Amino acid sequence: MSQFQIYGLASVLIFSIGLYGFIVHPHLVRKILAMNIMSSGIFLLLVSAARRDMHAIPDPVPHAMVLTGIVVSVSMTAFALALTRRVVAATGVAALLWMDAPVEAAPIAARNDEHSRDLDRVADPVAADRDDIHLSV
Amino acid sequence: MLKLTAIWLTHLLPGLLVTIFGIFLLQAVIALPAQPVGLTTEVQRELPNSGVTNPVTAVLLNFRGYDTLLEIAVLLLAVVAVWSLHVVPLRTGHARYVAETPVLAHLVRLLAPVMILVAGYITWIGSARPGGAFQGGSVLAAAMVLLLLASMIGIRPRQRWPLRVVAVLGLAVFVVIAGGTLVVGNQFLEYPRNQAYALMLVLESVLTISIGGTLALLFFGAIPETASFETMNDEG
């Protein structure tokens, strides 16, 4: 088993763990974390694929692509986190709501009315942060 | 029975599908040829013409400069998008966010000057060794975030334009240089051979400041209540 195959196996594992987390967890911050784990797997693959031949000079193009990718992934994370805070401010829950949400339907609806009156007067983020802990899976 | 069905649908089925997907991915990765068909030889051949000796920097800022140009645009787009969401900004120096310990304040006092120096060095060395604007910019951003968390600098109500200048600076200088290469009759982002190093150094320096500032602005997650960084000693 060559060195690249070990790195390849590791990056596929990391990507799959991220993908599983992205699908399974409804909490938006967990989804953002999962997306970052997925991109870490992709970056690991690109960096290791640049040096498959251990005696040659590593290919600089994938390395530059990873640098670019990191900045794009940071931008994406920042925007996703801001969107999450907006969702929490508007609905009180750090998850995407479904019409037929069975258990939380009543309290969420109540919160919704309370917040929809002044959607632009945003809720206190700290209080909102505390609320989203109660979100059950 | 109902509970078992729910777990099957929400956890076991996705797990199974992801596992199958991962096996296919692994096969694709293992099947890659041991001798890569890359651009190493092309980059090495053109490296003396690029103005720098670090191949990654040459690819980022010269050979594939438009990638980096668009990446800076993405960073600016993220700031614009975050600022347009109208969420409450992070209140720095607020007791609810920051544990007021002497350790943090002293550590930040020791670290911040070193971090700014390291940011400058990493950017400078990028022409010959691993480093460059992004690495230097992220160290600079980390220093600023530490300073903000320790209430050493804060943001106070004033005009918003200094923040906008910091966010736009990198893309603006990049576009000006790219336009300049067209004006002198070269291809888009094809630097004149003799000025390549100087242009890339200017670009790297401006990008470091802009990336550092932009990342620190993104840390707020909103338009800061105010505009300019200044000391917050009088606020206690």
Side-chain angles (χ1 to χ4, degrees):
Chain A
M1 199 167 188
S2 74
Q3 191 169 342
F4 167 66
Q5 282 171 333
I6 296 170
Y7 279 120
L9 175 66
S11 53
V12 169
L13 264 178
I14 293 169
F15 180 85
S16 303
I17 290 167
L19 185 62
Y20 176 75
F22 184 78
I23 297 170
V24 162
H25 294 295
H27 197 294
L28 291 176
V29 175
R30 281 176 182 261
K31 284 196 193 292
I32 295 168
L33 283 172
M35 279 199 284
N36 275 286
I37 291 169
M38 284 159 78
S39 45
S40 299
I42 296 165
F43 296 150
L44 179 63
L45 180 70
L46 275 173
V47 167
S48 55
R51 202 180 182 190
R52 265 172 281 164
D53 183 359
M54 294 311 293
H55 306 292
I57 309 163
D59 190 348
V61 179
H63 284 221
M65 280 164 69
V66 168
L67 265 175
T68 309
I70 288 170
V71 176
V72 173
S73 123
V74 165
S75 309
M76 177 212 66
T77 306
F79 179 52
L81 284 172
L83 264 183
T84 303
R85 291 180 71 205
R86 191 75 177 97
V87 167
V88 169
T91 66
V93 184
L96 299 178
L97 303 177
W98 299 94
M99 298 298 283
D100 55 346
V103 185
E104 285 138 317
I108 286 167
R111 293 194 62 93
N112 245 338
D113 291 341
E114 184 189 308
H115 281 274
S116 58
R117 258 184 277 116
D118 38 17
L119 207 66
D120 286 326
R121 185 208 63 107
V122 277
D124 185 343
V126 175
D129 285 350
R130 214 176 293 124
D131 278 349
D132 67 30
I133 295 168
H134 300 304
L135 180 78
S136 55
V137 175
Chain B
M1 187 60 207
L2 187 76
K3 194 129 193 174
L4 195 68
T5 319
I7 288 174
W8 166 248
L9 272 177
T10 55
H11 287 77
L12 294 180
L13 186 63
L16 193 68
L17 290 177
V18 167
T19 308
I20 294 167
F21 185 61
I23 289 167
F24 280 122
L25 273 185
L26 195 62
Q27 279 186 335
V29 168
I30 300 274
L32 284 171
Q35 294 294 326
V37 192
L39 295 165
T40 319
T41 48
E42 283 79 0
V43 171
Q44 290 297 328
R45 196 176 60 229
E46 290 295 324
L47 197 56
N49 296 329
S50 71
V52 291
T53 52
N54 177 11
V56 177
T57 307
V59 170
L60 267 179
L61 285 171
N62 200 333
F63 303 148
R64 291 185 67 87
Y66 48 87
D67 276 0
T68 311
L69 176 68
L70 290 176
E71 162 192 354
I72 299 299
V74 166
L75 207 54
L76 177 63
L77 198 65
V79 174
V80 172
V82 166
W83 282 9
S84 58
L85 282 174
H86 291 289
V87 282
V88 171
L90 185 70
R91 272 156 295 179
T92 52
H94 205 283
R96 283 194 294 181
Y97 290 100
V98 183
E100 305 246 341
T101 72
V103 178
L104 180 66
H106 280 280
L107 196 67
V108 172
R109 262 193 204 98
L110 280 173
L111 278 178
V114 180
M115 287 174 86
I116 292 166
L117 190 70
V118 166
Y121 174 76
I122 288 178
T123 308
W124 169 259
I125 204 71
S127 68
R129 307 233 176 119
F134 300 106
Q135 295 90 327
S138 37
V139 175
L140 198 62
M144 278 194 265
V145 167
L146 269 180
L147 285 167
L148 284 165
L149 285 178
S151 307
M152 304 253 173
I153 54 173
I155 290 190
R156 281 289 198 74
R158 271 215 200 138
Q159 301 96 338
R160 218 171 262 165
W161 65 264
L163 300 181
R164 292 187 178 148
V165 167
V166 168
V168 171
L169 191 67
L171 185 63
V173 171
F174 217 139
V175 167
V176 165
I177 288 178
T181 58
L182 285 178
V183 170
V184 299
N186 286 347
Q187 295 287 318
F188 186 66
L189 275 171
E190 182 196 352
Y191 309 123
R193 294 260 161 98
N194 297 326
Q195 279 96 50
Y197 177 71
L199 281 174
M200 282 157 87
L201 191 63
V202 169
L203 199 54
E204 287 268 50
S205 313
V206 173
L207 285 182
T208 305
I209 294 165
S210 190
I211 290 169
T214 306
L215 291 178
L217 285 175
L218 284 175
F219 177 75
F220 278 91
I223 309 173
E225 285 160 21
T226 75
S228 59
F229 289 94
E230 59 179 55
T231 52
M232 294 209 336
N233 292 331
D234 50 332
E235 214 170 61

